[in-house]
Amino acid sequence: MTDHGHSQQEIAARINAPPGRGVLRDVVYGGIDGSVTTFAIVAGVAGAGLSPFIIVALGLANVLADGFSMAAGNYSGTKAELDNIRRIRAIEERHIDLYPDGERCEVREILAQKGLSGRVLDEATEAITANHENWINLMVEGEYGLGSVDPHPFKAAMATFIAFLVAGMVPLLPFLLSLDQAFAVSACMTMGVFFAIGAFKSRWSLAPWWRSGFETFVIGGAAALIAYLVGSLFHP
């Protein structure tokens, strides 16, 4: 991860437009689930000894239906999170109107826990409570532990769906292309996707890329193995 600049202009631009949490969680979540669920169907149907046509049909149905379902669920969940933030902001706004002295005491306590004291604490409390929006933002963050940047439900849903669609199609490609040993090729490609997703998300963590990739590889491989074993129970 590259370091950011520290000139006055760079600092002002970065602080005034915080990126929020982004869509990393949604992409990783959608990609892993798309690979796991689609390959689970491939492994289960292959384990049962059914035809490639059935594998493709069920796999495509899963990619589209389950991908949309996950996107809709993520949209609803993120919107619920956004609604909760708005509800809390409304509560704080009402409390500031009704109990301004009590809310000032809360601001003072929040700032004291950040290390301010004495005259500096008094001046900071007065400065923040003089601006209504800054006052609410501090209360939302300090009292409820919520960020000041609102989540984006539609963006989260689209990131989940696209990642699910792209990763979920990988296990089906060998069957769509009618390759020899399609199941073996599908398994190798899917394991590669698991590892690639893990390595990709290491860009935003302190873990080395190979460790993050291997961790995701093991999780996805375990899910695929379980699905194949269950499907093999129904092999004629």
Side-chain angles (χ1 to χ4, degrees):
M1 183 181 297
T2 58
D3 291 333
H4 49 250
H6 290 85
S7 67
Q8 185 59 44
Q9 294 80 4
E10 290 171 317
I11 292 173
R14 188 169 62 252
I15 299 302
N16 289 327
R21 78 180 190 192
V23 295
L24 174 63
R25 183 186 68 175
D26 307 305
V27 169
V28 172
Y29 179 47
I32 291 178
D33 196 76
S35 298
V36 168
T37 57
T38 306
F39 186 73
I41 291 175
V42 170
V45 175
L50 301 179
S51 70
F53 176 79
I54 296 178
I55 293 176
V56 171
L58 293 178
L60 288 175
N62 172 77
V63 168
L64 295 175
D66 198 18
F68 180 81
S69 176
M70 279 195 62
N74 199 12
Y75 175 86
S76 298
T78 307
K79 189 174 185 301
E81 181 183 354
L82 179 60
D83 290 341
N84 184 52
I85 294 174
R86 289 172 175 169
R87 178 186 66 85
I88 289 173
R89 291 184 67 88
I91 291 173
E92 287 304 312
E93 187 170 5
R94 180 167 58 87
H95 284 182
I96 288 172
D97 291 336
L98 296 176
Y99 318 107
D101 292 338
E103 291 296 312
R104 284 190 180 90
C105 289
E106 291 181 359
V107 170
R108 184 181 178 86
E109 179 62 25
I110 291 170
L111 295 176
Q113 292 186 7
K114 293 181 181 294
L116 277 64
S117 61
R119 183 178 177 183
V120 173
L121 175 59
D122 295 336
E123 293 176 349
T125 301
E126 288 301 318
I128 290 176
T129 56
N131 184 292
H132 196 70
E133 192 68 18
N134 289 341
W135 191 348
I136 294 176
N137 288 339
L138 181 68
M139 298 306 299
V140 169
E141 178 186 353
E143 188 174 0
Y144 298 93
L146 298 174
S148 60
V149 180
D150 292 337
H152 301 281
F154 184 74
K155 184 185 295 184
M158 288 303 299
T160 300
F161 181 74
I162 292 173
F164 190 103
L165 187 67
V166 172
M169 285 300 298
V170 172
L172 297 178
L173 287 178
F175 298 95
L176 289 171
L177 299 175
S178 300
L179 299 180
D180 293 333
Q181 301 294 321
F183 176 70
V185 176
S186 176
C188 292
M189 292 177 64
T190 304
M191 295 302 108
V193 169
F194 291 149
F195 188 88
I197 292 173
F200 169 73
K201 69 184 180 69
S202 71
R203 288 190 58 192
W204 290 270
S205 74
L206 297 177
W209 64 269
W210 56 268
R211 180 180 297 170
S212 180
F214 182 72
E215 178 186 75
T216 309
F217 176 88
V218 170
I219 294 172
L225 179 61
I226 292 171
Y228 181 79
L229 293 176
V230 171
S232 66
L233 297 176
F234 299 92
H235 195 288

